[in-house]
Amino acid sequence: MVQIAIMGLGTVGTGVARVVAENAAQIERKLGEPLQVKTVLVRHFKDGPYRQLMTDDFRKIEEDGAIRVVVETIGGVDAAYEYTKRALNAGKHVVTANKQLVAEKGCELLALAKKRGVNYLFEASVGGGIPVLHPLTQCMAANRIDEVYGILNGTSNYILTRMVRTGAFFSDALREAQEKGYAEADPSADVDGIDAGRKICILADLAFGRQVDPADVPMEGIRNLSLRDVKIVQRGGYRVKLLGRAVRLPGNGRTAYVAPHLVPEEHPLANVEDVFNAVMVRGNATGEVMFYGKGAGEMPTASACVADVMEALQASPRREEIGWEPETEGFADPMTLRGRWYFRIDGSLTDAAAAFGQVEVLSEDGETAFLTEPLSGLEAAKQAEGLRQLARMRVLG
Ligand code: HSE
């Protein structure tokens, strides 16, 4: 019998307990012994199927030698960081879905796990139920990864899909996403690009092997996106998608950001809808590889957590090293990246052409919406200085 603890009984923590119970036979067959949740750390006791397992005292987990793996689904940094360090120091494997903690402290916690001879695994922190971190660090290990980009926030993608398909109001679509258990406790992290930002940091850390500090990464969400732009670009053959993107630059350089993009309708990301996420990884040997699936929700995310629990137990004494150095040098401003830009201006085509030369017009009706030739973000911003800008977005590709 292998015993584990769950810290935090929110959406994902509850899902972990359910997956362990509902898939018990299959898990036992693979592990060679039954897996059991022994203790659940909560802040407030509540009735329900796990009432008998609950404690509000972390020492009951820390000092219990029978607990071999701790699943951290508290979220945030403060208590989660403290308890994760203490659990690792007590010689327990730790598995998490906590993107914020991994993005901010993952490098340090991996080093601590290594020192203690245990695993710190976090597949569920990016893409919910989609296996992407393991393939990135293991199956694609023979590649130099040049770029990772994708739809990394299920809540935003759900809202965008509802707005486009049914003309739903932003607030109604957000409430639906919350009811389905997709949204963060503070949903502004979803709609303001912060959740996707944490995930692109983790992907960049693992893809390029060095720390990308979330504080350096510009994160723009969908809160200010206008339905008008969504419709104009759709008529022009594009979909608006919130993308996280991390790019390897010459030397030791790299950059990352989150922002709404125009995605050509023939691109595989254009038709990724609802709560689905998709991550594209470009390796120098593989070319582009796409990972697709449910990026949020109780059971998909819990499935990734429980798989990590099983891996932590089976990879004896510990899983091979994940390359992730603490160095932050070499991070560049993503505005240096070149690409085409979409603008909508309060002005005429003549104004647009005077600022940008040749442009591709998408709409002209008092306002003008157009695409530029490839430019860096810095050049695009400078050339647009004299214009009355109503919207600006990057074009993918
Ligand atoms: N709130 C997140 C999302 C959950 O909507 O994608 C998964 O990280």
Side-chain angles (χ1 to χ4, degrees), residues 319-337:
R319 188 183 151 189
E320 71 261 36
E321 207 40 57
I322 298 175
W324 182 350
E325 299 300 323
E327 179 201 336
T328 52
E329 284 289 290
F331 187 85
D333 179 355
M335 288 294 271
T336 56
L337 289 175

Side-chain angles (χ1 to χ4, degrees), residues 14 29 117 137 148 174-175 183 194 210 246 292 377 386:
T14 306
R29 213 166 33 246
T137 54
V148 184
L174 173 59
R175 194 170 335 102
I194 297 162
R210 277 168 306 127
Y292 171 83

Side-chain angles (χ1 to χ4, degrees), residues 99 152-155 182-184 190 195 199 277 295-296:
K99 302 139 290 199
L152 300 173
N153 183 262
T155 300
Y182 302 153
E184 296 301 292
D190 294 300
D195 177 77
K199 293 169 183 167
N277 284 190

